[in-house]
């Protein structure tokens, strides 16, 4: 097993890519804390049950990643429960799409609100930063650790996603800077940029649009969550020991030629 005796936190671990990552890390021997928002605790509990019935060990911890006090409390709970922290998969993320500016037929101007901007930047970018800050403390003491953050192929620019694209592009800059700052503590920091993936986040896209979007992807399909989780696993395992500050696009070639 590749993660024997390791302890991991996966944010947003109740659903989609996070859930697939929890199951994969646990199968490789890690004890995993699923950090998700309060309203997802029932789902998180089901993932804990799945891990346990496969012989693994997991707990669910309620935390809003955009809230410093909750993130710090979550990290303390995990270290108290499992005695250490080796891995952070910062996966929690949201979208709140709207065009930056748009005139309707009635002449009214509809545009992305400050609330939509702040919510997405708050969860995706600040939330990731807060989790990295909190997780870095035990990792620095141990002089070892692995962080795998989550950008998106949406950084290439996506209509209506100014907030999302900005937050995910920010993750790449954050990754590179944290990799520099944490290297002396033997903590590797990398990120992945998933392409369109079959999760609840994309479940509302109508089938005809999925078909149209798939046509534009060189591999001609959306990813399965497990295909994204495989790359998180690589980045938190010892196999990536000499990789830091990088962003791996896991997008079926979706950003090629753009
Ligand atoms: N699905 C895609 O096509 C796709 C593409 C590129 C990037 N991503 C990124 O992958 C990550 C996972 O997305 P997914 O598709 O699995 O989505 P998902 O909606 O299935 O899962 C996201 C999880 O994050 C949790 N979450 C949301 N806000 C949170 C908060 N404030 N604190 C803690 N947890 C929170 C949700 O409750 C949910 O369990 C996100 O960062 C997303 O931006 C997804």
């Amino acid at each position: 097993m590749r993660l024997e005796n390791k302890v991991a936190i996966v944010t947003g671990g109740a659903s989609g890519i996070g859930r697939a990552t929890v199951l994969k890390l646990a199968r490789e021997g890690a004890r995993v804390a699923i950090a998700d928002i309060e309203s997802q605790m029932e789902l998180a509990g089901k993932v804990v049950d799945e891990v346990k019935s496969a012989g693994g060990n997991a707990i669910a911890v309620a935390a809003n990643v955009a809230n410093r006090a909750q993130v710090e409390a979550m990290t303390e709970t995990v270290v108290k429960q499992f005695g250490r922290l080796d891995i952070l998969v910062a996966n929690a993320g949201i979208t709140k799409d709207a065009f930056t500016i748009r005139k309707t037929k009635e002449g009214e101007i509809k545009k992305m609100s400050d609330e939509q901007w702040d919510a997405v930047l708050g969860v995706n970018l600040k939330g990731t930063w807060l989790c990295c800050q909190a997780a870095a403390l035990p990792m620095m003491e141990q002089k070892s650790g692995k962080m795998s953050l989550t950008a998106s192929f949406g950084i290439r620019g996506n209509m209506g996603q100014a907030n999302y694209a900005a937050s995910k592009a920010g993750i790449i800059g954050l990754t590179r800077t944290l990799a520099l700052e944490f290297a002396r503590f033997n903590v590797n920091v990398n990120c992945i940029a998933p392409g369109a993936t079959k999760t609840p986040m994309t479940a509302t896209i109508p089938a005809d649009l999925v078909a149209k979007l798939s046509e534009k992807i060189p591999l001609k399909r959306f990813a399965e969550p497990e295909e994204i989780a495989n790359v998180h696993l690589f980045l938190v395992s010892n196999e990536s020991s000499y990789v830091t500050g990088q962003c791996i696009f896991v997008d079926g070639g979706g950003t090629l030629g753009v």
Side-chain angles (χ1 to χ4, degrees), residues 12 15 17 36 40 63-65 91 152 164 168 194-195 197 199-200 202:
S15 169
I17 294 167
D36 214 304
Q40 290 280 73
N64 172 1
V65 295
N91 159 80
S152 168
Y164 186 76
K168 294 301 192 178
T197 307
T199 70
T202 53

